[in-house]
Structure formats: structure tokens, C-alpha cells
Amino acid sequence: MKLGIIGTGRIGGGLARQLAGAGHELKLSFSRDPGKLEELARELGAGASAGTPAEAVDFGEVIVISVPWGVLPQALEQAGSLAGKIVIDTTNQFGAPPLPPEGETAAHFNAARMPGARYTKCFNTLTSAFQAEAAGRQGEERVVQWLCGDDAKAKEIVAGLVEDAGFVPVDLGGTAKCSVMEAPRRDGAVYGEEYRASDARAAVEAVRAGRTIPPTPRYRSAG
Ligand SMILES: NC(=O)c1ccc[n+]([C@@H]2O[C@H](COP(=O)([O-])OP(=O)(O)OC[C@H]3O[C@@H](n4cnc5c(N)ncnc54)[C@H](OP(=O)(O)O)[C@@H]3O)[C@@H](O)[C@H]2O)c1
């Protein structure tokens, strides 16, 4: 697929490497030093190029937005309209306002900041170092990436990209009720925790039923 990446730091850059490795074409964007985008594009090979956020949006069927919360308004302004595009938002609400009001998820809040986008949120619950280490694990040790969104078809496509990146996609449901995959790390949430497919189903069932999720699973370290 053609993917536009807005923000190629720890998370966006890691994802770019994983998805380029799976054969996707990428347009990399949004840096204070455009030379860094060119350098990453060279590292990723013929399918990758650098551009502006607006060029990344124009290029991509799917747009990954992976920037610090405080610069999201700036990134969205440079991106222009996202209408009709599948968006993967990796952001967490650490930083300057505007922030979601009490009781509203960051995913629901951000979806409203991207009018017409086929919004999803994913790749936000695990540290960049852990994601880099865990991508591509095999069998029962494969790690879950939670996703949410209000467009079922968009989530199917994003689930395919999660697999391509080397993880197991698990759909938690719509943006309004995905708070368990959002910061901060706390009891009763999947945010910040490693999950594997075998333990994910019970968490999804609990979220859908409005119940507290079962205790966080603990795994012996892989490898
Ligand atoms: N790091 C994690 O472990 C982690 C885990 C899960 C989710 N997240 C979330 O994912 C999002 C991205 O996190 P990250 O850790 O990948 O961020 P990061 O490493 O700081 O990367 C930020 C990206 O935005 C670009 N950027 C452009 N203008 C910027 C500006 N004015 N200020 C700061 N950056 C600017 C940076 O490019 P230049 O530096 O080249 O300008 C860089 O490519 C955040 O919302 C974060 O909460 C992070």
C-alpha cells in the first residue's frame, strides 16, 4: 500500500522501518530538519521518499500520525484535509492543550480534529523500544497492538498493517469507549502492558460489556 507518515521519530520511524520491510511504499514527512527525512528515506530504499505533510497525505491511502501531542495542531495544519483517508493516530495526550475534556477519550477528541478522516488509533500503548524489540515475534509470543475506531473497514485495513508490522491486531471497539488503551498506565487498563492474543479476548469482552478487565497478564520474557 501507499502510506504517508507524519512524524518519523521513535514510534513513526520504527513503524516506517517495519512497514517498508513488509513492502509498503512510504512518503515520510514532518521534521524540523528535512535532511533527516531524506536520510531515513535512503535507509529504507526505493519505496520510500521524503516530502511535506501535505504531500504525504496526497500520496498515502493510509496516513500515520506520530507526533508529540503538543505539536499535533501544527502537524494537522500542515497536513491539510484528511477527508477520506484512513488515519492511524499513535499519539498520547501528554502535553500542551487542547486536551480532551474529562470523560472524553483522546481518540474521540482527535477524530473530531480530523473531519472526514477514517480515523483509527493504534501503536500507542507500548514503548518504542519494546515495539522495536517485539515486532516480528512468532507464535504465542506475538504481541498485541490494540486498535480502536468507528469505521469497520478502515480498522480491517489497519489490522492488516499491524500484522505486516509484526504484531497481532486486536480491535477494542469504537473511539468513545477505548479509554483502557489510553494513558496513563494504571490498574484496569491495557495501556503500557504487554498482551498476547490468548489474553486479549477476555479484555475485549470486558470492555464491550462495560466490566473491569481481568488482571494484567504476566509473561516470562521472550527469547
Ligand atoms: N516514544 C514512545 O515510547 C511512545 C510510545 C507510544 C506512543 N507514543 C506517542 O507517539 C507520538 C510520537 O512519539 P515519539 O516518541 O515517536 O516522538 P518523537 O520521537 O519525539 O518524534 C516526533 C516526530 O515529530 C517530528 N517533529 C516535527 N516538528 C516537531 C516539533 N516542533 N516538535 C517535536 N517534534 C517535531 C520529529 O521530527 P524532528 O525531531 O526531526 O524535528 C519526529 O519525527 C507521541 O504522541 C507519543 O505520545 C510514544
Side-chain angles (χ1 to χ4, degrees), residues 7-12 30-33 36 66-69 71 74 90-92 94 123-129 131:
T8 58
R10 285 164 291 185
I11 293 291
F30 199 58
S31 171
R32 290 159 291 188
D33 173 4
K36 281 181 14 191
S66 192
V67 303
W69 182 269
V71 295
Q74 194 184 322
T90 84
T91 66
N92 289 312
F94 299 118
F123 298 106
N124 69 299
T125 66
L126 298 166
T127 66
S128 57
Q131 293 194 42

Side-chain angles (χ1 to χ4, degrees), residues 17 28 33-45 48 50:
R17 287 183 175 87
L28 311 171
D33 173 4
K36 281 181 14 191
L37 299 173
E38 301 281 357
E39 196 181 312
L40 180 58
R42 272 196 299 278
E43 176 196 324
L44 298 182

Side-chain angles (χ1 to χ4, degrees), residues 185 187 192-194 196 199 215-221:
R185 191 176 186 190
D187 287 344
E193 309 294 349
E194 175 181 349
R196 300 183 186 173
D199 294 299
T216 306
R218 296 286 166 226
Y219 305 106
R220 287 219 314 253
S221 64

Side-chain angles (χ1 to χ4, degrees), residues 123-199:
F123 298 106
N124 69 299
T125 66
L126 298 166
T127 66
S128 57
F130 183 74
Q131 293 194 42
E133 179 259 300
R137 282 196 200 159
Q138 298 296 312
E140 294 193 350
E141 291 185 345
R142 284 188 345 124
V143 169
V144 165
Q145 293 284 7
W146 303 96
L147 75 131
C148 71
D150 301 317
D151 179 323
K153 183 70 194 156
K155 283 196 286 192
E156 265 177 42
I157 291 167
V158 172
L161 292 172
V162 169
E163 287 183 3
D164 290 348
F167 301 95
V168 186
V170 176
D171 178 5
L172 257 182
T175 56
K177 297 204 170 138
C178 68
S179 62
V180 297
M181 65 178 278
E182 297 197 329
R185 191 176 186 190
R186 62 203 184 277
D187 287 344
V190 300
Y191 178 84
E193 309 294 349
E194 175 181 349
Y195 271 77
R196 300 183 186 173
S198 51
D199 294 299

